[in-house]
Every structure is written in C-alpha cells, then in structure tokens.
C-alpha cells in the first residue's frame, strides 16, 4: 500500500507556481524540496486541501482561480497615504514600501501612484485577483 499525504502531516514536496500563461513565479524543482507542516499556516489552505490524499512520488497540476489561491483583489486594501507620513526618500511607482503598524508589526505595500501630496498604496498580496497554476510532486510525508 502506498503512503499518502494526511491532514496535519509534515510533507516534503517540490512545487511550482506559474501564471496561466506559463510565466514562472516560484519553483523548488531545481533546488531543495520544501518541507511544510500542514495545518500550521505554512501553505495556503486551498493548496493544502489539494495535496491531502496524494500519494508519495506522484505529480499533479492544479489550475486555481483567485478565490482558491491568493484571494480576490480587494479595493478596500488600497489606501492613499500622505507624503508627510512616508519616509523622506525617493519613492518610485511600482516599488514596495514597508510600513510599521501601531502594534509594531510590519507589512508591505506596492506604490501604485505617487505625487507631491500622497501615494496610492496597494496592500493586497501581489497575486491577489490572479489565477495560478500549481504543480506539485510529493517527495515524502511523516
């Protein structure tokens, strides 16, 4: 009987994420495989559900819509920030800025537009609203 991936198991796998047009985003196939604890938030829940039950040694390709991948693009996560609340450094459109929340946590945003008074910052995940292709090879599980 072959071993399969179970919920909450430690799984070692190779994975590749591409856009539907084939543009590569990330891949472990030419490097060391990843080892992830399922159920610990190390992988998107939708992706975890796809690999539960897969056999060790098997290869699979999944096409994910935004809702099952990085979620829809949410307009409420676009925020206009006054320049006076930003660092005194050169800021370019389409650059990533890091912000510190009042509780000390840090988060990143993409500068969509900038002018003398403010910048439009997108706090969505860069892949929000995009369909992706998820390819996986299960190496092992425990």
């Amino acid at each position: 009987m072959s071993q399969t991936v179970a919920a909450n198991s430690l799984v070692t796998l190779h994975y590749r994420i591409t856009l539907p047009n084939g543009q590569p985003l990330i891949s472990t196939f030419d490097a060391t495989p990843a080892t992830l604890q399922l159920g610990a938030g190390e992988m998107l829940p939708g992706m975890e559900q796809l690999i539960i039950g897969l056999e060790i040694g098997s290869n699979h390709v999944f096409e994910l819509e935004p809702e099952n991948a990085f979620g829809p693009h949410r307009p409420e996560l676009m925020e206009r920030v006054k320049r006076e609340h930003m660092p005194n450094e050169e800021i370019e459109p389409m650059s990533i800025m890091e912000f510190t929340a009042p509780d000390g946590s840090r988060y990143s945003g993409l500068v969509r537009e900038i002018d003398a008074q403010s910048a439009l910052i997108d706090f969505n995940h860069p892949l929000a609203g995009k369909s992706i292709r998820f390819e996986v090879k299960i190496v092992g599980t425990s």
Side-chain angles (χ1 to χ4, degrees):
M1 180 187 260
S2 61
Q3 236 181 336
T4 60
V5 176
N8 300 316
S9 65
L10 188 65
V11 63
T12 300
L13 54 91
H14 278 292
Y15 68 95
R16 179 176 4 255
I17 297 174
T18 62
L19 294 177
N21 66 5
Q23 178 184 350
L25 300 172
I26 188 169
S27 176
T28 66
F29 279 92
D30 295 326
T32 305
T35 300
L36 305 167
Q37 178 66 53
L38 297 187
E42 296 179 1
M43 179 181 270
L44 290 171
M47 290 178 172
E48 278 193 13
Q49 290 304 310
L50 292 171
I51 66 171
I52 292 172
L54 299 182
E55 293 181 0
I56 292 176
S58 64
N59 291 287
H60 300 272
V61 177
F62 303 98
E63 304 291 335
L64 300 173
E65 294 301 317
E67 296 74 25
N68 297 320
F70 293 91
H73 187 273
R74 296 174 34 205
E76 68 271 19
L77 294 180
M78 303 278 290
E79 186 176 331
R80 190 151 294 277
V81 177
K82 291 181 180 180
R83 287 296 301 248
E84 63 200 50
H85 300 296
M86 300 171 74
N88 278 338
E89 57 187 51
E90 186 66 29
I91 300 167
E92 297 288 327
M94 303 312 288
S95 63
I96 302 289
M97 288 190 66
E98 193 167 276
F99 295 84
T100 304
D103 67 0
S105 61
R106 299 178 73 79
Y107 52 99
S108 298
L110 176 65
V111 178
R112 293 281 180 184
E113 308 170 356
I114 191 155
D115 60 31
Q117 289 78 39
S118 65
L120 181 63
I121 311 294
D122 185 350
F123 293 105
N124 283 283
H125 186 282
L127 295 175
K130 296 186 185 321
S131 297
I132 61 167
R133 184 174 188 257
F134 175 54
E135 181 180 352
V136 63
K137 177 179 181 175
I138 306 299
V139 175
T141 185
S142 59

